[in-house]
Amino acid sequence: SQELEQSPQSLIVQEGKNLTINCTSSKTLYGLYWYKQKYGEGLIFLMMLQKGGEEKSHEKITAKLDEKKQQSSLHITASQPSHAGIYLCGADEGYGGSQGNLIFGKGTKLSVKP
Amino acid sequence: KAGVTQTPRYLIKTRGQQVTLSCSPISGHRSVSWYQQTPGQGLQFLFEYFSETQRNKGNFPGRFSGRQFSNSRSEMNVSTLELGDSALYLCASSLLAGGPPGELFFGEGSRLTVL
């Protein structure tokens, strides 16, 4: 079965600094999803990537899917305390016909120091 | 528009008991999925329901079951609780009826503690 490995596991950055979180898949990705979670709460959808080489941005967050579709990166520019939380990447295993079955990485815990 | 609502938010049970968790999806969403989140295993897929039918199931023992009602509300049940069942149980709904997964809308979860 597919596995997603995220790095780093945790990250502490000074406010205003840039940072990158990586997500590597053991298999080709059919779809890659980035979510953010505040501790003990539900997940908030950030972005979805499906095509090799695709890049999407929302406010100060940019996500890319590499050409081989086995790795994605999430980049935050000029981090703010509001960016703090746990970032999770999720993957569609490509079986089709299922909207809710995603495999998730274990998450990257981001802390932003004011 | 109301989000995904999960009840109860917190509960404490003892080993051997059973528990039922409830999830009300966003109005109009017919797909409901359940996930278990623990510090050790992370977020793991339990099952997905669509139009009252289980469409997909994760690798969990038969003690974990679920159902979906005609109004798309869903419940999951865990019988004969074990200490390892202590977790945050998250419900997610989706607007899509077919094709690849799109955006999942998550509830805030039900935190179960088994003593």
Side-chain angles (χ1 to χ4, degrees):
Chain A
S1 62
Q2 189 168 22
E3 291 185 357
L4 296 178
E5 187 169 333
Q6 285 187 238
S7 63
Q9 288 185 326
S10 64
L11 194 54
I12 302 173
V13 299
Q14 200 70 37
E15 183 177 357
K17 295 294 185 184
N18 303 336
L19 63 107
T20 299
I21 297 169
N22 293 303
C23 176
T24 302
S25 172
S26 58
K27 297 182 180 180
T28 299
L29 292 159
Y30 289 92
L32 191 285
Y33 304 78
W34 284 101
Y35 284 84
K36 179 186 174 185
Q37 183 180 29
K38 293 277 182 142
Y39 178 73
E41 298 181 4
L43 280 66
I44 304 294
F45 174 81
L46 295 174
M47 271 169 280
M48 174 176 71
L49 304 164
Q50 290 184 300
K51 300 176 184 175
E54 187 174 10
E55 180 175 320
K56 287 187 177 179
S57 293
H58 176 67
E59 297 180 342
K60 294 185 178 180
I61 300 176
T62 300
K64 301 179 186 178
L65 183 60
D66 74 346
E67 290 289 345
K68 294 183 178 179
K69 295 176 68 177
Q70 282 199 266
Q71 188 168 30
S72 177
S73 60
L74 185 85
H75 184 77
I76 298 177
T77 303
S79 58
Q80 302 169 354
S82 61
H83 287 130
I86 300 170
Y87 290 81
L88 296 113
C89 61
D92 166 22
E93 291 199 283
Y95 294 138
S98 173
Q99 275 62 56
N101 182 2
L102 295 181
I103 303 297
F104 282 94
K106 296 227 173 146
T108 295
K109 184 179 178 182
L110 171 63
S111 302
V112 180
K113 285 186 171 181
Chain B
K1 201 175 192 180
V4 177
T5 304
Q6 290 189 245
T7 57
R9 287 293 313 278
Y10 302 92
L11 66 167
I12 300 174
K13 293 284 186 178
T14 56
R15 279 181 297 175
Q17 287 187 310
Q18 72 165 12
V19 66
T20 300
L21 308 177
S22 179
C23 172
S24 293
I26 292 173
S27 178
H29 288 197
R30 291 159 62 193
S31 168
V32 174
S33 300
W34 288 89
Y35 288 84
Q36 180 196 65
Q37 187 175 36
T38 59
Q41 297 299 316
L43 199 58
Q44 293 185 288
F45 171 77
L46 279 159
F47 25 65
E48 180 196 4
Y49 287 88
F50 181 81
S51 293
E52 302 178 67
T53 301
Q54 187 179 87
R55 189 155 63 174
N56 224 325
K57 189 176 191 306
N59 189 24
F60 278 83
R63 300 185 296 107
F64 292 80
S65 62
R67 59 178 175 169
Q68 186 180 34
F69 302 96
S70 58
N71 61 359
S72 294
R73 189 177 70 85
S74 177
E75 287 182 348
M76 68 162 282
N77 184 77
V78 188
S79 62
T80 318
L81 285 166
E82 301 176 0
L83 295 177
D85 296 334
S86 295
L88 181 67
Y89 290 88
L90 291 164
C91 166
S93 72
S94 171
L95 177 62
L96 298 179
E103 179 179 356
L104 294 179
F105 295 81
F106 283 83
E108 293 194 327
S110 292
R111 183 165 293 282
L112 169 65
T113 300
V114 181
L115 302 176

